């Protein structure tokens, strides 16, 4: 039934139709505002694509998990807030993709699945499609890092899409993530930047070019051996990057307030994600900051109901480990 739906746009449209029927509502843009409906559409889309892949390999499709006797419950657990620029939609899309590929026998449902490069490439590609259902468009950055893990440099519309980098001093850099509690839509934020670009292409292109230069220079900085020099150089680049984002108009007064609070304890910071609220990203560089003052600051944020957490700069990537087989 699904094999005749050839391109991914048609599959997305068909998935939305099925989900609209399931929830007994006509398809319209407001459906994108419902997390449960959007999540269901992602699952339906991925199931269709996965069954197409399976039918391409084997004409006698067999899905033992979907034999009419089993009930499948998909439970999502996360220790980070969603919708605030941390890539939660990318993480969900990657996890959902890997799950559906397993359930449809595209990959072996074994105790521990060691995912190889070819499998990761497929997961990343399908997850990027799934993210388009959530946001309308997706650069592929979040789904890529959630699939492969590690530390990468991602360049949209270039081949290769990303470059894995080995940071010799990654232990000297920690990330402090602070949620401003200012909710925003990624797709709407991207639209605002696009509108600004249409108004003044020269200015916006210049900002993007300088941000690109900063990225290249930061890669070199992170591989230096002098921790003090890493701290000084990174601080300058992070501060400059934030100024450029403010020029672009994507920062927020609450974000700026948190950035100033972090500056007082020696931690450079910037907005993350699409901006316009969401999270602030502070860089704990191992020197030049007061740990006791930072702990006091985090405690004060908690009293203001601001979520904050310190984490590593390296991601884990998609993993599978079954405790039920």
């Amino acid at each position: 039934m699904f094999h005749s739906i050839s391109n991914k746009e048609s599959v997305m449209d068909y998935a939305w139709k099925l989900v609209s029927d399931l929830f007994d509502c006509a398809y319209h843009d407001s459906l994108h505002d419902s997390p449960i409906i959007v999540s269901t559409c992602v699952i339906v889309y991925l199931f269709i694509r996965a069954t197409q892949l399976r039918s391409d390999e084997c004409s006698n499709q067999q899905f033992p998990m979907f034999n009419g006797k089993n009930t499948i419950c998909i439970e999502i657990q996360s220790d980070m807030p969603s919708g605030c620029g941390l890539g939660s939609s990318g993480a969900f899309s990657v996890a959902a993709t890997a799950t559906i590929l397993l359930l449809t026998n595209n990959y072996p449902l074994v105790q521990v699945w060691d995912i190889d490069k070819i499998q990761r490439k497929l997961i990343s590609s399908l997850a990027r499609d799934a993210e388009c259902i959530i946001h309308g468009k997706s650069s592929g950055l979040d789904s890529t890092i959630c699939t492969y893990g590690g530390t990468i440099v991602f360049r949209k519309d270039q081949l290769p899409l990303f470059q894995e980098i080995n940071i010799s001093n990654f232990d000297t850099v920690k990330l402090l993530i602070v949620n401003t509690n200012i909710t925003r839509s990624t797709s709407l934020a991207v639209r605002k930047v696009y509108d600004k670009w249409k108004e003044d292409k020269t200015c916006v292109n210049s900002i993007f070019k300088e941000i690109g230069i900063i990225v290249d220079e930061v890669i070199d900085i992170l591989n230096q051996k002098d921790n003090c020099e890493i701290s000084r150089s990174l601080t300058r680049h992070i501060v400059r990057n934030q100024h450029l984002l403010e020029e672009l108009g994507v920062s927020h007064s609450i974000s700026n307030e948190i950035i100033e609070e972090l500056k007082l304890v020696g931690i450079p910071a910037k907005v993350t994600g699409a901006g316009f609220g969401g999270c602030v990203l502070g860089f704990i560089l191992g020197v030049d900051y007061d740990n006791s003052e930072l702990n006091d600051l985090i405690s004060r944020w908690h009293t203001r109901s601001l979520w904050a957490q310190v984490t590593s700069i390296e991601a884990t990537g998609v993993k599978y480990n079954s405790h039920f087989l």
Side-chain angles (χ1 to χ4, degrees):
M1 177 177 65
F2 300 139
H3 197 64
S4 60
I5 311 173
S6 56
N7 60 68
K8 66 183 180 183
E9 288 78 14
S10 297
V11 176
M12 286 183 185
D13 290 341
Y14 188 67
W16 273 117
K17 182 182 183 304
L18 290 176
V19 172
S20 299
D21 292 343
L22 176 65
F23 286 90
D24 194 24
C25 56
Y27 174 72
H28 46 77
D29 289 342
S30 64
L31 291 184
H32 291 267
D33 297 329
S34 169
I36 186 63
I37 292 179
V38 171
S39 299
T40 303
C41 188
V42 166
I43 297 297
V44 170
Y45 169 80
L46 291 171
F47 178 74
I48 296 172
R49 292 295 305 277
T51 54
Q52 288 177 330
L53 290 170
R54 185 65 179 162
S55 61
D56 287 342
E57 294 181 2
C58 178
S59 58
N60 297 319
Q61 298 182 48
Q62 294 183 354
F63 306 112
M65 297 297 291
F66 298 94
N67 58 11
K69 299 178 181 179
N70 295 318
T71 298
I72 295 174
C73 175
I74 298 177
E75 181 178 338
I76 302 166
Q77 296 180 344
S78 175
D79 59 357
M80 70 179 190
S82 61
C84 58
L86 296 182
S88 58
S89 59
F92 165 72
S93 297
V94 168
T97 300
T99 299
I100 297 301
L101 288 173
L102 286 166
L103 292 177
T104 52
N105 272 13
N106 277 278
Y107 296 141
L109 196 61
V110 293
Q111 190 74 30
V112 178
W113 175 26
D114 293 322
I115 310 173
D116 62 34
K117 287 186 177 180
I118 294 176
Q119 292 168 337
R120 287 185 189 276
K121 185 176 181 180
L122 176 60
I123 292 171
S124 181
S125 176
L126 289 177
R128 180 178 181 178
D129 295 346
E131 240 196 318
C132 289
I133 294 174
I134 300 172
H135 294 309
K137 284 186 177 180
S138 169
S139 67
L141 167 60
D142 290 342
S143 55
T144 299
I145 188 62
C146 289
T147 300
Y148 290 90
T151 306
I152 67 170
V153 178
F154 184 90
R155 303 185 189 279
K156 183 182 177 184
D157 300 327
Q158 292 186 25
L159 292 176
L161 274 178
F162 70 96
Q163 172 191 355
E164 295 183 67
I165 57 174
N166 295 315
I167 299 175
S168 56
N169 292 289
F170 77 88
D171 283 337
T172 66
V173 182
K174 298 290 184 183
L175 298 181
L176 170 64
I177 306 169
V178 188
N179 187 7
T180 65
N181 289 338
I182 306 298
T183 58
R184 82 288 181 278
S185 162
T186 298
S187 56
L188 182 58
V190 171
R191 168 60 63 178
K192 287 181 179 179
V193 174
Y194 177 69
D195 290 341
K196 186 177 181 67
W197 176 79
K198 287 195 297 184
E199 292 174 4
D200 193 343
K201 294 181 181 179
T202 301
C203 176
V204 174
N205 285 339
S206 175
I207 292 173
F208 283 147
K209 182 179 180 180
E210 188 167 352
I211 289 175
I213 292 172
I214 289 173
V215 170
D216 290 334
E217 291 179 352
V218 164
I219 295 170
D220 293 334
I221 291 168
L222 288 172
N223 282 301
Q224 294 179 10
K225 298 188 181 300
D226 187 336
N227 289 345
C228 290
E229 182 56 34
I230 289 174
S231 176
R232 286 191 293 268
S233 298
L234 267 183
T235 297
R236 289 195 300 270
H237 284 72
I238 293 163
V239 170
R240 179 56 185 156
N241 184 259
Q242 173 59 23
H243 286 164
L244 290 169
L245 294 173
E246 290 174 11
E247 287 183 37
L248 197 58
V250 302
S251 196
H252 188 280
S253 59
I254 301 298
S255 302
N256 295 341
E257 179 183 325
I258 292 172
I259 289 169
E260 285 301 312
E261 288 179 296
L262 285 169
K263 181 180 178 181
L264 293 176
V265 296
I267 296 178
K270 61 181 287 295
V271 297
T272 188
F276 297 100
C279 283
V280 166
L281 200 60
F283 293 77
I284 302 175
L285 305 175
V287 293
D288 297 333
Y289 84 97
D290 189 314
N291 190 55
S292 61
E293 288 189 5
L294 174 59
N295 290 335
D296 290 341
L297 183 56
I298 291 175
S299 296
R300 292 200 300 274
W301 284 333
H302 287 165
T303 63
R304 290 153 53 187
S305 299
L306 297 180
W307 179 90
Q309 184 167 315
V310 176
T311 186
S312 167
I313 63 172
E314 283 208 323
T316 301
V318 63
K319 295 176 67 176
Y320 168 78
N321 191 352
S322 173
H323 299 287
F324 306 105
L325 296 178

